[in-house]
Amino acid sequence: LGPTVSAGEQTCSMQGQSIYKTRCGKFKRIGDGIQTDAIADDGYTFDFYFRNEPVAKKWISAGLSPMHARLLHMFEIFLDLYHRVNMDNLFNSVKFSIAAANCKTKVLTQGVFRKNSRG
């Protein structure tokens, strides 16, 4: 895993029915499927967390969202300290960036922050 990685959402497209299948919205080309939050580097997925799986209660009790709890769980299995994680506006928040910097692997996050709405 390189010093700079990306966090994003990935969809495993599927046809058929499953309780895990998620609608990806009318603006996504991939269609419907099983969604994950993922850590990727140089075109390869390093780790992923299915969105339908339960998250650690320690992050929820700290006031973070389930999406942020999934990413922090993945950050804590990094083998090195101070990885830089690039994210799009879906994932960013000040509270999340502080939690990432304070987790045991001291992850540094970067991306777009906006005053209103997400990102």
Side-chain angles (χ1 to χ4, degrees):
L1 188 65
T4 302
V5 298
S6 296
E9 57 184 341
Q10 292 182 349
T11 303
C12 306
S13 62
M14 65 169 286
Q15 296 178 351
Q17 296 194 7
S18 171
I19 60 171
Y20 303 117
K21 189 173 180 179
T22 305
R23 289 206 60 80
C24 297
K26 62 183 179 179
F27 301 111
K28 300 268 183 171
R29 287 181 177 228
I30 193 161
D32 300 336
I34 299 173
Q35 287 192 322
T36 66
D37 293 319
I39 304 295
D41 182 29
D42 198 26
Y44 297 93
T45 300
F46 171 73
D47 196 9
F48 61 91
Y49 200 122
F50 287 112
R51 288 191 174 174
N52 60 298
E53 294 293 324
V55 296
K57 299 214 184 294
K58 71 177 183 174
W59 300 117
I60 301 300
S61 63
L64 294 159
S65 71
M67 176 181 59
H68 291 145
R70 288 188 292 271
L71 287 175
L72 288 164
H73 170 80
M74 291 187 283
F75 291 173
E76 288 199 328
I77 64 168
F78 288 171
L79 299 177
D80 303 313
L81 298 177
Y82 302 108
H83 281 280
R84 293 180 302 275
V85 179
N86 298 318
M87 300 177 293
D88 65 11
N89 61 351
L90 175 65
F91 297 101
N92 287 330
S93 79
V94 173
K95 185 182 265 190
F96 170 66
S97 293
I98 291 169
N102 290 328
C103 79
K104 69 181 184 179
T105 54
K106 310 288 186 209
V107 174
L108 308 171
T109 60
Q110 56 192 20
V112 177
F113 284 93
R114 292 195 187 110
K115 197 173 184 181
N116 297 330
S117 71
R118 282 192 179 165

